[in-house]
Amino acid sequence: MKGIKARAHALPHEEVARLLETAPTGLSFEEAQRRLYHFGPNQIQKPQEISLWRILWHQFASPFIYLLIAAAGVALVLGDYVDAAVIAAVLVINATIGFIQEYNAEKAVESLRSLTAPQATVLRGGREYKVPAASLVPGDVVLLESGVRVPADMRLFESIALQVDESLLTGESFPIYKTAHPIALEAPISDRTNIVFAGSIITAGRGRGYVIATGSDTELGSIARSLTETESVQLPLMERMERLARLIGIVIMGSIAGIFLLGLVVGYSVLEMFKVGVGIAVAAIPEGLPIVLTVTLARRVWAMARRHALVRRLAAIETIGSATVIGSDKTGTLTENRMTVQVFWSGGEFWRPGEFSPLFHKEMALKAAVLANEAELPDEANRDSATGDPTEIALLWAACEAGLSPRRLRAAEVEKYRIPFEPELRYSASFRQQPDGTYTLYLKGSPEQVLTFCDTILTKEGRSQTLHPEEALEAAAHLAQQGMRVLGLAYAPNLTQLPEPAFQLQGLTFIGLVGMIDPPRAGVPEAIADCHKAGIRVLMITGDHAATAQAIAAQVGIHTPRTLTGEEMNRLSEKELEELVRSVNVFARVAPQQKLQIVQILQKQGEIVAITGDGVNDAPALKAAHVGIAMGKGGTDVAREAADIVLADDNFVTIRNAVEEGRTAFQNIRNATFFLLSTGAAAILLFLVAVILKWPLPMLPAQLLWLNLVTNGLQDVAMAFEPALPGIMRQKPRPLREGIISPLLWERTFLVSFLMAGVTAYLFWLEYDLTHDLSKAQTVALTTFVLFQNFHIGNARAEYISAFRLNPLRNPFLIGSALLALGIHALALYVPFMQFVLRVVPIEGEAWIRSILAASSVIVVGELHKWLRSPRQMKQAED
């Protein structure tokens, strides 16, 4: 029985029953019990118990965390409990956020189990019984009716107007009509109309089917297994931070060891060099960086919440800014997720509902659309009040757009008999009584089917003439090529009686065609154009038909050399598929595993991939992508649990906004890191100069802690509030291997740090030479460093743009923090208690002037470096 599931859709249901050793009357209780023992319960395998301790330990397994712990240890050794407490708070906050995010991600598989039905109605020995769904076995006969959740994968052998919502599996929100007829073996899952899948919901009709798969063997179980096996990739920001942390650790430890040995060689004592080593560790470890990272990401998360996106993993907001490829669903993300009538064809002409004029052929087209229609529109001014099939709702709304009232049209011609839509019929019809007692038949359905019932066509003048089907079929093909769903409309007036059982449709008058589509959302083409300008490739990955996908792609600006279908993907070798994924931008009729396959191929090719999804089927791809984006309105809990970002409005425009926020986050993290590293490197160089020249310590460890905690600690956090720089959405995505600091900024880091160290060393020695007062010289060195930071923060606001081109008030927090830091420092020099704690003394006005003038040189050097080393980028950024 194991191999039946893969081919059940292609076999007659009688053959499926034979292979399953069952019958339409169902299994006996004894046989069902025997099979339950053999196949096991109809349940998705429970995932391994989530280990809270393992998740907690993961939050501390990072080189950067080790650096923070080391910094806290140094602060405790020096007795600076405030600094140690701040660092400890950062560790706790980071661990808490990471723990919550990882725990939520682990629950995604558990959410799948809630989609299984608790009970099922089965036939056992020809009688109906309600049994726990977990007891179903292959071969069971299950009865389905409206409102029921399908308990297992089943092959239908009876279908009466059966419609199924399979959106959690296919991502397509429109109900699927089901039949019992065999279909092609190679048909993708989304086209297997004689199969119903576990977890889907019956929306209309009734049916019966044989269970062909249970538990982990169902499509739902396959997704759960894939979700368990799929590894989450490390986010680029975390990878970059870890590389940077390792580099910083190596440089600091190497610097301390080298300077320690050098000091011993030139005559310093071990105790003196220990103090120097502690001073270097305090100055160089950028303990403010994790704070900046957390605050920056949290700030952007808050900004994204105001722009309709909820970020579940902090680092994901930066990662989407780094994305090189965005793979988007079509329905509901690129489109409005509501069928809309685009055009009618009647009287030999195309016209839109808004172009309605009281011509007979137009009136009849709208009447047929409204009267051969089972949907309801209680409030004709509010489309959202409608109930029924989305296609039929679209037809009612088209009449409203044309200025007609569906309620009045129906009241004028009362329905006396209805032929409901059936997939086998391919049409629906309504017999309406006229005031004179006759009946008018209105019919809509597949154009090819409707045309077979007609021998005349309605002309522009309102007369009937002989039908030539070729013209109507050509018009239908024209609309279908634009991705529209096309229906034919017809009528037959002056009928004297209602149909009898042997009634046959013939002699109708063909009115025309109606074409409808789920149209693109407003703003989506512009958002996709922005992504293209930003160097981001946008893909459409949908379960819809190729023609529809291609038509919508063209309308929103996704250009592709061809559309690749899931069926074609199955026929390609791995190498051929990898080559096509490089260039194809539209994928249609794609199965869940194929979506995951596309993501993994793109990642293998070095792309940073963001992917959208709303159904259970999307969860493995959402988990595997660098950034998984789930839908908040139409998405499932499983998709949201697996995703990093949830769109509250299900709109691609929000993804474009997230890219901008992500790039802003990285911009601020990069600039703050540059600011911290350049000042830290300057401190290392300052101590190196002092040791080589056998000077006293230019600054004491307590003064270095003051520098990091009060001055650095205010300004670097304020950088988290920098708004997006001009032109940020015209920049190309960063290479995956590029670090937090770009090669250009490394150059500037060394240049600035040498300048700061050299100038500070000179002023320290000058003051010491003039006054022979070590405390005063150290105070001058500390003050010069504080001033350097205040001026340098202006350089650090932008990698390419001149500091003089940025409005100082665009980030009032930064201006405020710089003035506050300087004010606190100046106050500390003249308050006795702070003088004692920091070992500082008041300095004269001349020393202040020298320090201010010297520190301002960092602006000149920074501006010259921007102008000389990146003139093209500087001009582009400023434009």
Side-chain angles (χ1 to χ4, degrees):
M1 295 183 191
K2 283 284 187 184
I4 296 175
K5 178 191 170 187
R7 54 196 178 99
H9 59 282
L11 300 173
H13 60 78
E14 296 87 355
E15 178 64 10
V16 172
R18 187 186 69 79
L19 293 171
L20 288 170
E21 299 176 16
T22 187
T25 54
L27 303 171
S28 67
F29 272 100
E30 294 76 13
E31 178 61 16
Q33 195 62 36
R34 187 189 69 77
R35 294 189 185 191
L36 183 62
Y37 178 79
H38 177 74
F39 291 103
N42 177 34
Q43 294 176 334
I44 294 174
Q45 188 173 2
K46 192 171 183 179
Q48 185 179 358
E49 197 70 29
I50 299 172
S51 169
L52 301 182
W53 288 110
R54 176 179 60 82
I55 296 174
L56 184 61
W57 168 250
H58 280 178
Q59 312 317 311
F60 294 94
S62 160
F64 217 88
I65 297 300
Y66 304 152
L67 274 179
L68 277 182
I69 293 171
V74 170
L76 287 173
V77 167
L78 294 173
D80 195 309
Y81 302 113
V82 174
D83 209 22
V86 170
I87 296 170
V90 171
L91 287 168
V92 170
I93 292 169
N94 280 349
T96 302
I97 293 171
F99 179 89
I100 292 170
Q101 291 168 349
E102 190 169 340
Y103 179 75
N104 285 338
E106 294 279 356
K107 292 196 302 180
V109 177
E110 188 65 35
S111 297
L112 281 169
R113 294 168 60 82
S114 66
L115 295 176
T116 54
Q119 285 193 315
T121 303
V122 300
L123 287 181
R124 294 268 168 91
R127 298 181 62 183
E128 289 187 22
Y129 295 93
K130 286 267 189 187
V131 300
S135 68
L136 292 180
V137 295
D140 258 329
V141 173
V142 178
L143 279 59
L144 302 171
E145 61 184 10
S146 182
V148 166
R149 187 180 289 276
V150 178
D153 287 1
M154 297 162 51
R155 167 63 163 91
L156 295 170
F157 65 84
E158 180 182 293
S159 173
I160 302 172
L162 189 66
Q163 297 181 51
V164 184
D165 177 0
E166 294 181 345
S167 57
L168 85 168
L169 290 170
T170 65
E172 296 304 312
S173 58
F174 306 121
I176 308 297
Y177 284 97
K178 294 292 183 175
T179 71
H181 305 303
I183 57 175
L185 180 64
E186 63 273 11
I189 287 173
S190 52
D191 286 347
R192 294 178 187 176
T193 52
N194 56 14
I195 304 289
V196 289
F197 299 99
S200 54
I201 297 173
I202 307 300
T203 59
R206 60 186 188 274
R208 299 184 180 202
Y210 300 117
V211 172
I212 56 173
T214 60
S216 296
D217 292 329
T218 63
E219 284 301 314
L220 201 62
S222 174
I223 292 167
R225 188 167 55 252
S226 177
L227 193 56
T228 303
E229 295 168 355
T230 301
E231 293 291 331
S232 296
V233 294
Q234 186 178 31
L235 298 182
L237 177 63
M238 296 297 99
E239 189 178 337
R240 287 172 172 133
M241 291 301 289
E242 289 193 5
R243 289 205 309 266
L244 180 63
R246 283 192 290 269
L247 177 62
I248 291 172
I250 292 168
V251 169
I252 290 174
M253 295 306 297
S255 299
I256 292 172
I259 292 174
F260 187 89
L261 293 173
L262 180 61
L264 294 179
V265 170
V266 299
Y268 285 97
S269 69
V270 172
L271 181 60
E272 287 174 317
M273 291 315 301
F274 175 76
K275 290 180 179 178
V276 172
V278 169
I280 292 172
V282 169
I285 295 175
E287 58 264 36
L289 190 52
I291 303 173
V292 172
L293 180 67
T294 302
V295 172
T296 299
L297 295 177
R299 171 72 181 85
R300 304 274 56 100
V301 166
W302 178 73
M304 275 312 305
R306 291 189 304 158
R307 302 177 82 172
H308 311 297
L310 306 176
V311 180
R312 300 181 69 250
R313 295 173 68 189
L314 271 184
I317 189 65
E318 184 282 328
T319 306
I320 195 168
S322 304
T324 58
V325 176
I326 298 174
S328 175
D329 278 342
K330 176 186 70 68
T331 305
T333 308
L334 298 176
T335 65
E336 294 181 359
N337 196 19
R338 60 169 69 189
M339 290 298 287
T340 304
V341 171
Q342 297 291 297
V343 66
F344 283 89
W345 180 82
S346 64
E349 63 181 11
F350 291 101
W351 53 277
R352 298 182 179 277
E355 301 167 352
F356 174 76
S357 57
L359 296 174
F360 185 68
H361 69 91
K362 292 184 179 182
E363 287 181 352
M364 291 306 296
L366 286 167
K367 285 178 73 173
V370 168
L371 298 179
N373 190 320
E374 296 181 43
E376 296 292 338
L377 185 60
D379 182 354
E380 294 182 350
N382 178 17
R383 175 170 175 159
D384 292 336
S385 69
T387 57
D389 182 88
T391 298
E392 297 196 320
I393 291 172
L395 294 172
L396 292 185
W397 191 248
C400 294
E401 288 182 313
L404 302 182
S405 168
R407 190 184 305 111
R408 289 199 190 97
L409 290 174
R410 288 174 170 178
E413 301 183 42
V414 179
E415 184 175 66
K416 292 299 183 180
Y417 186 81
R418 174 186 296 173
I419 302 175
F421 180 86
E422 290 279 359
E424 295 85 353
L425 296 176
R426 299 171 64 201
Y427 71 86
S428 63
S430 176
F431 290 79
R432 300 275 173 166
Q433 190 170 37
Q434 303 301 311
D436 62 2
T438 62
Y439 303 97
T440 299
L441 163 64
Y442 296 97
L443 182 142
K444 74 176 192 316
S446 159
E448 295 81 4
Q449 185 68 33
V450 173
L451 284 165
T452 63
F453 304 141
C454 302
D455 53 23
T456 59
I457 186 171
L458 198 60
T459 67
K460 187 174 183 178
E461 293 76 24
R463 298 191 302 270
S464 295
Q465 67 180 30
T466 302
L467 171 69
H468 299 287
E470 298 79 14
E471 184 183 5
L473 290 172
E474 186 179 332
H478 172 73
L479 296 178
Q481 285 169 2
Q482 298 176 54
M484 294 189 198
R485 183 176 296 182
V486 186
L487 295 176
L489 306 170
Y491 83 116
N494 303 319
L495 302 177
T496 57
Q497 61 181 30
L498 293 173
E500 296 178 353
F503 173 80
Q504 287 189 339
L505 289 170
Q506 58 185 359
L508 276 67
T509 298
F510 190 74
I511 302 170
L513 305 166
V514 56
M516 62 192 79
I517 200 167
D518 179 13
R521 280 179 177 267
V524 166
E526 293 81 4
I528 289 175
D530 284 347
C531 289
H532 289 158
K533 289 175 189 173
I536 302 170
R537 183 178 162 206
V538 180
L539 312 181
M540 179 193 290
I541 306 174
T542 179
D544 209 342
H545 294 280
T548 305
Q550 200 158 5
I552 294 295
Q555 291 179 46
V556 299
I558 299 177
H559 304 295
T560 184
R562 60 174 290 190
T563 297
L564 191 63
T565 66
E567 187 178 335
E568 291 170 327
M569 287 176 66
N570 287 333
R571 295 198 296 265
L572 295 170
S573 68
E574 186 177 344
K575 188 174 180 181
E576 289 172 330
L577 181 57
E578 286 179 3
E579 195 58 38
L580 281 173
V581 167
R582 291 183 187 276
S583 58
V584 172
N585 294 327
V586 178
F587 298 84
R589 306 307 275 170
V590 171
Q593 282 300 118
Q594 292 171 324
K595 191 170 190 176
L596 175 61
Q597 189 180 12
I598 292 167
V599 169
Q600 291 172 334
I601 289 173
L602 289 166
Q603 289 174 329
K604 183 179 175 183
Q605 293 171 351
E607 306 286 1
I608 298 177
V609 183
I611 204 83
T612 73
D614 51 11
V616 171
N617 61 324
D618 296 317
L622 290 171
K623 184 179 178 183
H626 292 98
V627 183
I629 306 169
M631 303 298 113
K633 281 185 177 179
T636 59
D637 288 341
V638 178
R640 285 191 286 268
E641 292 285 0
D644 306 298
I645 297 174
V646 178
L647 302 184
D649 59 358
D650 296 4
N651 194 339
F652 186 88
V653 175
T654 304
I655 300 175
R656 180 260 174 223
N657 295 339
V659 171
E660 182 178 17
E661 294 292 347
R663 291 187 169 198
T664 304
F666 186 82
Q667 156 204 296
N668 293 346
I669 292 168
R670 167 171 279 183
N671 293 340
T673 305
F674 162 61
F675 173 72
L676 289 170
L677 293 187
S678 53
T679 54
I684 292 175
L685 290 171
L686 177 62
F687 276 87
L688 178 62
V689 169
V691 169
I692 292 173
L693 298 178
K694 298 193 69 175
W695 289 353
L697 291 179
M699 280 184 270
L700 299 174
Q703 293 171 344
L704 290 165
L705 278 172
W706 171 259
L707 196 67
N708 280 3
L709 181 63
V710 177
T711 56
N712 264 6
L714 292 173
Q715 295 172 55
D716 55 13
V717 171
M719 293 192 78
F721 296 88
E722 280 285 313
L725 288 169
I728 200 166
M729 287 299 289
R730 295 197 300 271
Q731 298 173 9
K732 300 303 178 189
R734 294 174 297 281
L736 188 59
R737 297 302 301 171
E738 183 176 292
I740 295 289
I741 301 293
S742 66
L744 183 71
L745 281 184
W746 276 122
E747 273 184 36
R748 199 172 299 159
T749 298
F750 293 129
L751 185 64
V752 167
S753 58
F754 272 106
L755 173 71
M756 293 170 68
V759 170
T760 304
Y762 171 75
L763 291 181
F764 166 77
W765 185 251
L766 178 64
E767 190 68 24
Y768 190 50
D769 188 50
L770 290 173
T771 64
H772 303 289
D773 185 337
L774 180 58
S775 293
K776 187 167 283 191
Q778 288 173 334
T779 303
V780 167
L782 177 61
T783 301
T784 303
F785 238 84
V786 170
L787 289 166
F788 260 125
Q789 289 176 339
N790 272 29
F791 286 116
H792 184 42
I793 199 74
N795 277 339
R797 294 176 73 190
E799 186 173 356
Y800 302 115
I801 300 175
S802 167
F804 299 105
R805 295 292 297 270
L806 295 176
N807 184 347
L809 299 179
R810 72 195 298 267
N811 183 2
F813 295 102
L814 192 62
I815 298 297
S817 67
L819 293 175
L820 181 62
L822 184 59
I824 292 173
H825 176 73
L827 190 64
L829 299 188
Y830 302 99
V831 174
F833 173 73
M834 294 304 299
Q835 290 175 351
F836 173 76
V837 172
L838 296 176
R839 301 293 190 271
V840 294
V841 296
I843 57 176
E844 292 79 13
E846 289 183 6
W848 272 104
I849 292 171
R850 281 196 298 270
S851 292
I852 291 170
L853 291 174
S856 64
S857 63
V858 75
I859 295 179
V860 178
V861 170
E863 288 294 306
L864 282 172
H865 186 262
K866 289 178 184 178
W867 183 65
L868 293 171
R869 290 291 290 121
S870 53
R872 182 174 60 83
Q873 294 96 324
M874 189 175 183
K875 186 175 187 309
Q876 285 177 346
E878 291 179 351
D879 289 344

